[in-house]
Amino acid sequence: MAGKPGFRIARTADLDALVALEERCFAGDRMSRRSYAAALRNPRALLLVIPGDTSLLAAATAFSRADSPAARLYSIAVDPAARGAGLGRRLLQAMETALRRRGAGALRLEVSTGNKSALALYRKSGYGIIGRIARYYEDGSDAWRLEKRLGGGLPRQKRAG
Ligand SMILES: CC(C)(COP(=O)(O)OP(=O)(O)OC[C@H]1O[C@@H](n2cnc3c(N)ncnc32)[C@H](O)[C@@H]1OP(=O)(O)O)[C@@H](O)C(=O)NCCC(=O)NCCS
């Protein structure tokens, strides 16, 4: 592959590859095919992917909400064979930038208290703990709720007329 792999917004044709990546990356609490299909159609969802030569190297899904200035990172995953090379950090930064442009003032997420790699990524990216949720996951593990202020997010100006 020439150069550093870049990211782009996911499209409907990525559905199979998104589901396959999810299966390679998560043992449980997977985002279902139906959820991915719905997210691809949802104007409040933002799906970013890093394509590889034959499959997706990484993907992230976030939702912004009409009633809250905080967006929610629903999923981020890097192919096991591509981890530790900075793709997760790059994708997260791209997501934050895109959400800030859409008016989000903060990004929130939940992560299993035992997920060391994800916690390292989030803490190094400036996320702080704002809560703990008992037995949040299918396997009974607790979640940390994390948040990062995105530094934009002033109320969107109403257009005149
Ligand atoms: C979490 C995940 C997305 C990280 O992706 P990645 O591309 O390997 O992460 P990066 O290479 O960008 O690493 C970002 C930072 O986190 C740290 N980090 C990543 N994995 C780590 C690990 N296993 N142990 C310690 N630190 C780790 C890196 O050291 C790096 O910091 P540095 O640049 O200062 O060294 C990836 O491990 C993954 O897909 N895991 C399975 C799915 C998952 O758990 N998603 C999160 C659900 S909330």
Side-chain angles (χ1 to χ4, degrees), residues 34-155:
R34 184 190 283 205
S35 302
Y36 267 120
L40 285 163
R41 290 191 302 267
N42 182 349
R44 294 212 163 271
L46 181 60
L47 284 85
L48 296 181
V49 296
I50 299 181
D53 291 336
T54 55
S55 59
L56 293 179
L57 296 179
T61 303
F63 295 90
S64 49
R65 286 170 42 180
D67 59 347
S68 165
R72 178 153 180 260
L73 184 74
Y74 194 74
S75 172
I76 182 165
V78 174
D79 188 299
R83 286 182 194 162
L87 293 189
R89 189 197 284 266
R90 204 132 50 88
L91 195 57
L92 186 58
Q93 277 169 1
M95 186 58 97
E96 291 165 3
T97 303
L99 290 168
R100 192 184 293 122
R101 287 203 188 112
R102 288 183 173 201
L107 184 54
R108 289 189 189 151
L109 59 90
E110 287 81 31
V111 56
S112 170
T113 51
N115 191 341
K116 290 201 168 62
S117 10
L119 268 167
L121 165 65
Y122 299 138
R123 296 311 299 259
K124 287 181 174 182
S125 301
Y127 288 75
I129 293 173
I130 57 167
R132 183 176 177 128
I133 311 163
R135 290 190 297 281
Y136 184 75
Y137 292 100
E138 274 171 17
D139 67 1
S141 62
D142 293 358
W144 292 119
R145 175 163 286 158
L146 306 186
E147 181 184 79
K148 179 177 177 177
R149 301 240 158 233
L150 297 181
L154 292 171

